[in-house]
Amino acid sequence: MSVSGRSSRRRMLGFGAALGGGLLSGNAVSSAADGVPGQLGIPLGPYGERSPFEKVARWRRDTKTPETGSSSTPLQDSVGTITPSSLHYERHHAGIPTLDPAMHRLVIHGMVDRPLSLTMAEIRRLPSVSRTLVLECGGNSGSEWAPKGAPDVQRSFGLVSCSEWTGVPLALVLKEVGIQAGASWVIAEGADACRMARSIPLAKALDNILLAYGQNGEAIRPAQGYPLRLVIPGWEGNANVKWLHSLKLTGQPYMTRDETSKYSDLMPDGKARIFTFQMEAKSVITFPSGGQTLAGTGLYELTGLAWSGRGRIERVEITSDGGRSWVDAELQEPRLPIALTRFRLPWRFEGKEALIASRATDESGYVQPTREALIAVRGTNSGYHFNGIKLWKVQADGTVTNV
Amino acid sequence: MFSLSVIVLLPAVALAAQQEKYSVGRPATVEQIRGLGAAIAPDGGGLPEGSGTVAAGREVFAARCAKCHGEKAAGDIGPALVGGQGTLATVKPFKTVGSFWPHATTVWDYVNRAMPFNEPGLLKPPEVYAVVAYILSLNGIIGKDQIMDAKTLPKVIMPNRDGFVADPRPDVGVKPAKKK
């Protein structure tokens, strides 16, 4: 009895698997069906690779010099809240350096009693913490300031990623060097070719900045700052200096190129906001989103991502009528502060045009504004820090476009 | 016995973590610090010895910069380094060293650390002073016979010196409650 029961169950599973494999690709190897001998898979290996069927990739904005530019995370294909390190967005100013951790030093100098040089081994000896944090480029969604934004969510919102970062609290290391009276800023410099440098208020450095060497359970990827970078919870990506080799304590910001010429927000009156570090609450629907096509009418799970540099996401609302009415989406728990938060909502596509969008509220009570509200205050030339509500148009035939 | 010793030991361990230093690392040497990008402050702090003329800068620019920034610095592979003054409050702002950068020291600092793009660190301090002098003169910010050095460069008044303001956000939408 029990034997025949098992075999019939097995036939059902085998049939399902064979069918699934057949649908995926004509010659894909399916799991063994009755009477067909199984086939051995590939051997075990030292470092994993994804399935050859998976092609999801970053998208790189074309630049005249391939060493400077950005590549965006494929948010439309993301699931859950963690970005694989291999798909983390990139923004570099002079290429990715190849740094030997045995040779790498972090030097802390300037207004300190004991200028200090630390090896990676010494940094790893210090008490560590791990935090899941979103990282967003200050220029993410810059295309949205223009009348016609980018066609899909990867190009318009993809300079945002979320990792578990592991490292040493910077405050702990700064205690070791003896901060002198009058020090109020830290100039952080990377060991990339252009020695990218940013000024960071000392108060933030003593609050919650991480000297990070770990990303998603392993060493930080070269493109993310191997072997050492700053991770500054909630602050624009550029300030999270990668390939960190120098921290200089000073009594003033140094007005480096990347905090004056770049990453400052030009207002309609010609004045530019400087040190606009914090990333504000933002959300976007990743499915259905620009470039995708719905397979027909019926029930779908609408989903997307929300985050805020100010803390937890408290609420995400969804509209399918261009903002006239809103309903609450379900938020995936745990909602970690300053981390990607996945939202979901069952949604029926009736074969009629729909204007869909999400609107996030964070724990400070800040509500994600409309693009129009942002432009009314900041004009269209500020370039950075766009966090407006993103509308997608689902057309009657199921194709989804940028609005 | 065992549990008692744990109880006795724990507070001592916690205390050690609060008061003691880890004392890792070695004192950083002067050479090590000098090798680190030599960040320049807006008041000129960190600027090295040496000086450069506009005429010498024209030559450095032609040899080391023009192929990417264009012969007249109007931009090519690299961005334009001239023009745009008076455009910041218009619908088409043109941000360059001349129109947008608030401090001449930043130009020195950036060229020194990051340019030429494909060979950063190539220029000696007098060449950096010279090419910065040339770029500033192209923008009409200094005269053709002005010499740039650690004293004169920080005194240069950039057209957009007062063009930067503090971050007023949240500025749009519902304001979060102020922190207590």
Side-chain angles (χ1 to χ4, degrees):
Chain A
M1 271 302 284
S2 67
V3 171
S4 77
R6 268 223 309 264
S7 84
S8 75
R9 194 168 157 254
R10 209 184 144 204
R11 220 178 346 251
M12 290 245 312
L13 278 173
F15 175 70
L19 190 70
L23 281 176
L24 209 98
S25 150
N27 53 10
V29 178
S30 60
S31 54
D34 274 358
V36 180
Q39 205 175 315
L40 275 177
I42 58 172
L44 294 70
Y47 197 82
E49 272 177 42
R50 64 178 171 178
S51 160
F53 297 100
E54 294 299 319
K55 304 290 184 209
V56 170
R58 287 188 287 233
W59 174 79
R60 197 178 78 77
R61 197 174 300 278
D62 211 18
T63 50
K64 290 177 191 156
T65 41
E67 300 86 3
T68 174
S70 62
S71 71
S72 311
T73 295
L75 298 180
Q76 69 283 3
D77 297 305
S78 70
V79 294
T81 56
I82 295 292
T83 311
S85 303
S86 50
L87 293 174
H88 194 290
Y89 85 84
E90 297 175 278
R91 173 74 179 101
H92 313 310
H93 296 77
I96 303 161
T98 304
L99 300 176
D100 178 351
M103 305 300 290
H104 193 74
R105 298 287 181 276
L106 171 65
V107 177
I108 306 174
H109 57 117
M111 297 171 76
V112 298
D113 291 335
R114 293 174 295 279
L116 195 66
S117 166
L118 291 159
T119 65
M120 285 308 299
E122 285 159 348
I123 290 169
R124 280 177 177 257
R125 201 183 110 186
L126 297 170
S128 65
V129 291
S130 296
R131 275 194 77 176
T132 299
L133 292 165
V134 65
L135 201 59
E136 182 180 16
C137 177
N140 191 25
S141 311
S143 56
E144 294 295 307
W145 292 110
K148 187 92 186 136
D152 56 49
V153 71
Q154 180 167 17
R155 287 181 230 193
S156 55
F157 278 67
L159 296 179
V160 64
S161 300
C162 187
S163 301
E164 187 202 61
W165 299 100
T166 297
V168 180
L170 177 54
L172 190 147
V173 179
L174 290 178
K175 254 184 223 153
E176 303 263 322
V177 296
I179 301 168
Q180 291 177 350
S184 53
W185 289 77
V186 181
I187 317 302
E189 183 184 284
D192 48 344
C194 66
R195 300 279 196 260
M196 222 286 298
R198 287 291 305 259
S199 309
I200 293 153
L202 180 60
K204 182 70 174 175
L206 293 173
D207 179 15
N208 61 1
I209 295 182
L210 271 185
L211 279 176
Y213 48 76
Q215 180 185 12
N216 297 330
E218 62 179 348
I220 288 179
R221 293 281 167 117
Q224 293 312 317
Y226 183 85
L228 190 70
R229 75 173 302 169
L230 291 181
V231 172
I232 311 182
W235 283 18
E236 63 178 4
N238 184 255
N240 295 242
V241 174
K242 294 178 286 195
W243 313 295
L244 185 74
H245 74 167
S246 168
L247 292 171
K248 179 176 185 174
L249 279 78
T250 64
Q252 60 186 319
Y254 270 25
M255 309 299 274
T256 69
R257 181 257 194 171
D258 283 282
E259 60 208 19
T260 53
S261 167
K262 307 289 166 192
Y263 302 100
S264 59
D265 311 61
L266 186 61
M267 294 295 117
D269 65 359
K271 300 279 184 216
R273 296 174 177 177
I274 192 170
F275 302 126
T276 40
F277 291 120
Q278 194 159 50
M279 301 307 291
E280 301 192 286
K282 187 163 169 179
S283 70
V284 69
I285 295 174
T286 56
F287 178 85
S289 63
Q292 295 173 332
T293 304
L294 299 178
T297 55
L299 196 60
Y300 288 88
E301 182 179 77
L302 180 154
T303 184
L305 294 163
W307 63 95
S308 169
R310 291 199 179 92
R312 265 186 202 80
I313 289 296
E314 280 303 324
R315 184 178 193 195
V316 175
E317 300 156 281
I318 306 294
T319 181
S320 57
D321 55 15
R324 274 193 292 279
S325 62
W326 297 85
V327 291
D328 276 40
E330 187 194 323
L331 302 182
Q332 174 73 57
E333 299 287 346
R335 289 172 290 122
L336 300 174
I338 318 182
L340 286 186
T341 298
R342 171 75 54 184
F343 62 83
R344 301 182 172 97
L345 185 73
W347 175 68
R348 187 172 292 282
F349 175 52
E350 313 270 16
K352 283 188 292 216
E353 187 180 294
L355 278 175
I356 59 169
S358 61
R359 176 170 74 184
T361 303
D362 70 18
E363 66 177 300
S364 77
Y366 177 92
V367 182
Q368 184 182 6
T370 61
R371 176 175 179 272
E372 291 68 32
L374 280 175
I375 288 174
V377 174
R378 301 186 200 163
T380 53
N381 290 323
S382 67
Y384 300 96
H385 304 103
F386 179 94
N387 69 323
I389 291 170
K390 178 66 195 166
L391 272 176
W392 301 115
K393 185 198 268 183
V394 185
Q395 279 159 338
D397 65 359
T399 56
V400 189
T401 57
N402 177 37
V403 185
Chain B
M1 272 298 278
F2 178 69
S3 62
L4 188 71
S5 74
V6 169
I7 287 165
V8 174
L9 273 174
L10 261 180
V13 172
L15 216 63
Q18 274 171 23
Q19 295 183 344
E20 273 180 33
K21 296 209 164 65
Y22 282 84
S23 301
V24 293
R26 293 161 168 270
T29 63
V30 175
E31 293 75 52
Q32 253 182 329
I33 294 168
R34 200 182 297 138
L36 295 168
I40 307 303
D43 60 12
L47 278 172
E49 284 177 16
S51 66
T53 62
V54 172
R58 183 180 295 116
E59 276 165 37
V60 175
F61 192 86
R64 303 284 184 205
C65 323
K67 66 173 173 182
C68 290
H69 290 282
E71 268 172 43
K72 300 204 162 108
D76 188 353
I77 293 168
L81 305 177
V82 288
Q85 284 179 45
T87 66
L88 295 181
T90 69
V91 284
K92 267 204 161 49
F94 189 46
K95 296 193 265 185
T96 72
V97 169
S99 68
F100 194 51
W101 292 33
H103 301 283
T105 48
T106 307
V107 193
W108 203 100
D109 179 76
Y110 182 68
V111 170
N112 181 54
R113 67 172 65 239
M115 291 294 138
F117 184 71
N118 52 334
E119 294 169 285
L122 180 80
L123 303 186
K124 301 274 173 295
E127 294 173 296
V128 181
Y129 280 118
V131 80
V132 169
Y134 178 63
I135 294 169
L136 294 175
S137 83
L138 278 183
N139 282 285
I141 296 167
I142 64 168
K144 288 202 167 37
D145 355 287
Q146 259 176 283
I147 295 171
M148 288 295 110
D149 59 25
K151 285 215 169 60
T152 55
L153 183 77
K155 295 208 183 85
V156 171
I157 306 284
M158 299 293 275
N160 198 38
R161 188 189 189 90
D162 300 321
F164 288 81
V165 295
D167 179 7
R169 296 174 308 157
D171 57 340
V172 180
V174 182
K175 305 215 171 200
K178 281 265 175 296
K179 262 194 190 161
K180 274 165 223 147

